[in-house]
Amino acid sequence: MQEKPKLEAKTSSVEDMEREVWAAEMGNPPKIDLHGMEKHIALSELESFLHKEMMDGTHVIKIIHGRGSGKSRLFVHDWLKKQKKLVPYFRDAQATGQIGGVTLALLERIK
């Protein structure tokens, strides 16, 4: 029987997590574009993407939800807040042209 991967018990300071997200933001982390998707479809796609990227060893993902009315950003952030074991830290992108329309999320490492 194959053993399930386990989440690494790593405690990082907010500064350490921010440093990792900032470095990824300067690069090109894996991304998912949720533009135009209904809430339930977008969250299902996001959950699948998050799990795939965790299994691939990715540590930071970019979630493109767009600005629009702000509803997509809110439901993405609400969902991420409920995923503390998988997503210990997330924030809005700070790059020009992405503020309010993109969220970066730090994924917990698995071993």
Side-chain angles (χ1 to χ4, degrees):
M1 179 183 236
Q2 189 175 3
E3 200 175 307
K4 287 186 176 183
K6 296 178 182 171
L7 293 177
E8 200 174 296
K10 180 185 173 198
T11 55
S12 297
S13 69
V14 172
E15 293 84 14
D16 290 341
M17 292 187 286
E18 174 55 33
R19 201 171 329 187
E20 287 191 61
V21 170
W22 182 85
E25 187 171 17
M26 297 298 106
N28 191 22
K31 61 187 170 200
I32 184 169
D33 190 340
L34 305 176
H35 274 106
M37 292 184 192
E38 294 180 25
K39 180 180 177 178
H40 70 283
I41 295 170
L43 293 179
S44 176
E45 291 289 320
L46 178 56
E47 183 174 22
S48 295
F49 178 74
L50 183 147
H51 286 283
K52 178 203 171 296
E53 292 303 325
M54 280 188 76
M55 295 306 293
D56 288 349
T58 300
H59 202 52
V60 178
I61 59 171
K62 180 186 280 190
I63 305 161
I64 304 166
H65 41 70
R67 288 184 195 95
S69 68
K71 288 180 184 177
S72 294
R73 178 186 171 275
L74 288 176
F75 72 66
V76 165
H77 283 210
D78 286 345
W79 185 83
L80 290 171
K81 286 175 190 172
K82 296 174 185 169
Q83 310 304 315
K84 283 291 182 193
K85 287 187 177 182
L86 303 178
V87 182
Y89 181 77
F90 66 92
R91 68 158 170 80
D92 287 320
Q94 298 173 356
T96 304
Q98 295 184 7
I99 297 171
V102 175
T103 297
L104 294 155
L106 181 73
L107 307 181
E108 191 63 68
R109 295 187 191 272
I110 57 172
K111 56 177 180 170

